[in-house]
Amino acid sequence: MSSSITVTTWSLEQTSPADLRPAKEPAGDVRIVRAEIPSPEFSRFLYTAVGGDIRWTDRLALTYAQWRETVEQPGTETWVAYEKGTPAGYVELVAQDEGVVEVMYFGLIPAFRGRRIGGHLLAYGVARAWDLAERWPDRPETKRVWVHTCSKDGPHAMDNYQSRGFRLFETKTTEEPDVTSEGLWPEENA
């Protein structure tokens, strides 16, 4: 019998590039690079490495083909923070209709949290959301950037979003299954 958990989700937005407030750059060798070749394997690695301990579950049931379709969507970008060459976290941007870009996923691998990388990565990723049309000429100019965070995310997530200039526009509470996964891809669990 599966159990469930109560999850509160907060949706936040920016409606102008002027809303974005930068973060202090972290010390050391931290670089942010766009993963220009869509890779289901790398995307799933980032998703599980960042979200595993905070129980991200919504993509765990996706097959390889579904992951591939997701990461190959035009206007979808993954920006990865590296510290001394090691992946530290990522931000995934998804262009939606009419100039809207969602920060679909954002976070750090646990070993890299608390090192001032998160604020810098978020600010950098949101700046890329605002200039996304420069890299995707068939997309309209960005008019709105939004994100959701939830009670499963890290304790500093909401503060980081608000410190970067996001404003709350919706709060929802739901019951979700308490899902865990074994194996790299769902079909391997059969």
Side-chain angles (χ1 to χ4, degrees):
M1 180 175 203
S2 66
S3 61
S4 66
I5 57 174
T6 301
V7 178
T8 302
T9 302
W10 300 277
S11 297
L12 303 102
E13 67 182 350
Q14 293 183 4
T15 55
S16 166
D19 292 341
L20 177 58
R21 292 191 298 248
K24 183 178 178 183
E25 288 197 30
D29 181 16
V30 175
R31 286 180 254 163
I32 301 171
V33 178
R34 179 176 165 208
E36 293 188 48
I37 300 171
S39 167
E41 297 88 351
F42 190 48
S43 182
R44 184 166 167 86
F45 160 75
L46 291 168
Y47 177 86
T48 58
V50 168
D53 71 320
I54 51 178
R55 296 160 53 171
W56 285 0
T57 59
D58 58 314
R59 282 192 176 174
L60 291 178
L62 296 184
T63 64
Y64 181 86
Q66 290 168 321
W67 273 91
R68 184 175 175 169
E69 181 181 340
T70 299
V71 299
E72 289 181 350
Q73 285 292 322
T76 296
E77 296 183 347
T78 301
W79 292 85
V80 184
Y82 292 89
E83 183 173 15
K84 295 183 179 178
T86 302
Y90 78 115
V91 59
E92 180 181 305
L93 306 174
V94 176
Q96 299 172 332
D97 293 334
E98 301 178 23
V100 175
V101 177
E102 181 178 1
V103 176
M104 184 65 71
Y105 293 98
F106 161 73
L108 298 175
I109 294 171
F112 295 90
R113 295 178 190 152
R115 297 159 101 178
R116 299 198 161 280
I117 298 171
H120 176 62
L121 173 60
L122 179 60
Y124 191 92
V126 172
R128 299 299 64 81
W130 282 113
D131 65 20
L132 188 125
E134 294 174 16
R135 293 177 303 284
W136 297 90
D138 61 325
R139 307 298 307 181
E141 183 178 332
T142 303
K143 297 175 184 155
R144 177 176 176 252
V145 177
W146 77 282
V147 65
H148 64 273
T149 188
C150 73
S151 52
K152 295 188 295 184
D153 287 339
H156 304 292
M158 181 66 95
D159 288 342
N160 192 9
Y161 290 121
Q162 291 177 323
S163 293
R164 302 292 71 77
F166 282 94
R167 294 174 308 280
L168 181 67
F169 71 89
E170 183 177 66
T171 302
K172 290 183 182 178
T173 302
T174 58
E175 291 294 316
E176 293 183 6
D178 192 5
V179 178
T180 57
S181 176
E182 296 175 27
L184 183 58
W185 304 108
E187 59 268 31
E188 292 178 297
N189 295 327

